[in-house]
Amino acid sequence: MEQHKIITRTVSRETYQQALQLYKKHEVQLATYIDRLLWWNKRINLVSRTVSRETVREHVAHSLLLSQFKAFRSSKTIVDAGTGGGLPGIPLAITCPDKQFLLNDIVSKKCLAMKQMVRRIGLANVQTADHSIASLQQEAPFLLISKHAFKINELYKMTSHLPWTSMMLYKGIDFEEELEGINKSLSIKSYELSEIGDFYKDKAIVTVTPS
């Protein structure tokens, strides 16, 4: 396996509090998103059918953590691969209206639900694409994000033709096996989240950039 440079850091509760402040600033729109996500989830399997509103709220706050990282802040265009019900892309689009988002999922019904949610919320900075991420055509550089939808090596292979500058992925703290088969050296930072609270135990945000 190619030698990759892996750095591990810890995300503080202060960083989490900054994400929560962003949540509170946009609480009305985020509440509308949660309402519509739960409504659609009864009709299309977007998240677990037994999920509570409070748990969805935790997932939304979890999504907003990306906004606190330099790789996200410096990107104008973000592609959310395998977004499902719009996590993390829709909460980030709500709270970062200056950025453009492309929400991608191979399941057309999920993209239909997302389009309806985006319309109801009134977001002008979101587009959807209902095909495999491997079929995406994108010329301008972008940040690639994904919430537990792909293994790192699978996503890397599927997007090797695309001009992404970095990947920011929601992972568990043990992800090294997902690097097998990647022949190019990568710079990887794992931001562990366990100190934030029980919901975040053994979770991490992993950034991947070419070395």
Side-chain angles (χ1 to χ4, degrees):
M1 184 173 69
E2 182 67 36
Q3 186 66 35
H4 304 293
K5 181 181 179 182
I6 302 177
I7 297 174
T8 300
R9 296 177 178 171
T10 300
V11 174
S12 67
R13 287 195 63 83
E14 287 75 17
T15 299
Y16 176 65
Q17 290 299 323
Q18 291 172 351
L20 284 186
Q21 289 176 11
L22 194 61
Y23 188 110
K24 291 178 181 178
K25 181 179 178 181
H26 299 271
E27 193 163 10
V28 173
Q29 283 183 302
L30 290 171
T32 300
Y33 167 62
I34 293 172
D35 288 342
R36 301 314 297 168
L37 178 61
L38 291 171
W39 187 90
W40 276 104
N41 195 52
K42 294 177 181 178
R43 294 152 179 83
I44 302 172
N45 189 23
L46 299 176
V47 292
S48 170
R49 288 294 174 91
T50 59
V51 70
S52 68
R53 184 181 181 86
E54 182 56 34
T55 299
V56 173
R57 186 182 182 279
E58 288 279 15
H59 281 291
V60 170
H62 188 199
S63 298
L64 295 184
L65 278 172
L66 282 196
S67 66
Q68 304 304 306
F69 291 84
K70 182 179 179 180
F72 181 87
R73 290 178 171 175
S74 62
S75 299
K76 295 181 179 179
T77 303
I78 295 97
V79 174
D80 182 4
T83 187
L87 292 167
I90 291 180
L92 288 167
I94 290 170
T95 55
C96 303
D98 59 321
K99 300 182 184 300
Q100 296 297 314
F101 291 81
L102 177 62
L103 308 183
N104 165 257
D105 201 281
I106 198 169
V107 181
S108 296
K109 288 183 179 180
K110 293 181 180 181
C111 286
L112 174 63
M114 284 189 294
K115 287 180 180 178
Q116 296 296 327
M117 287 187 276
V118 165
R119 185 177 296 115
R120 176 65 67 91
I121 299 165
L123 297 178
N125 60 334
V126 175
Q127 294 180 313
T128 62
D130 59 346
H131 52 64
S132 169
I133 188 66
S135 301
L136 182 66
Q137 300 296 320
Q138 180 79 15
E139 296 182 0
F142 64 91
L143 173 68
L144 181 61
I145 65 176
S146 188
K147 196 173 193 291
H148 306 300
F150 302 92
K151 291 183 178 180
I152 297 173
N153 47 13
E154 293 174 350
L155 186 59
Y156 185 89
K157 182 178 180 180
M158 295 171 75
T159 61
S160 60
H161 65 293
L162 294 170
W164 53 265
T165 53
S166 295
M167 294 183 184
M168 296 191 74
L169 310 172
Y170 292 82
K171 289 290 173 185
I173 59 175
D174 298 320
F175 61 87
E176 286 83 356
E177 288 186 359
E178 297 186 19
L179 302 174
E180 292 182 2
I182 298 178
N183 296 320
K184 292 186 178 181
S185 181
L186 301 174
S187 177
I188 298 169
K189 294 180 182 178
S190 174
Y191 297 91
E192 297 188 359
L193 307 176
S194 295
E195 289 192 4
I196 293 176
D198 292 343
F199 179 84
Y200 296 88
K201 182 175 175 58
D202 296 330
K203 289 183 172 70
I205 292 173
V206 177
T207 66
V208 178
T209 55
S211 294

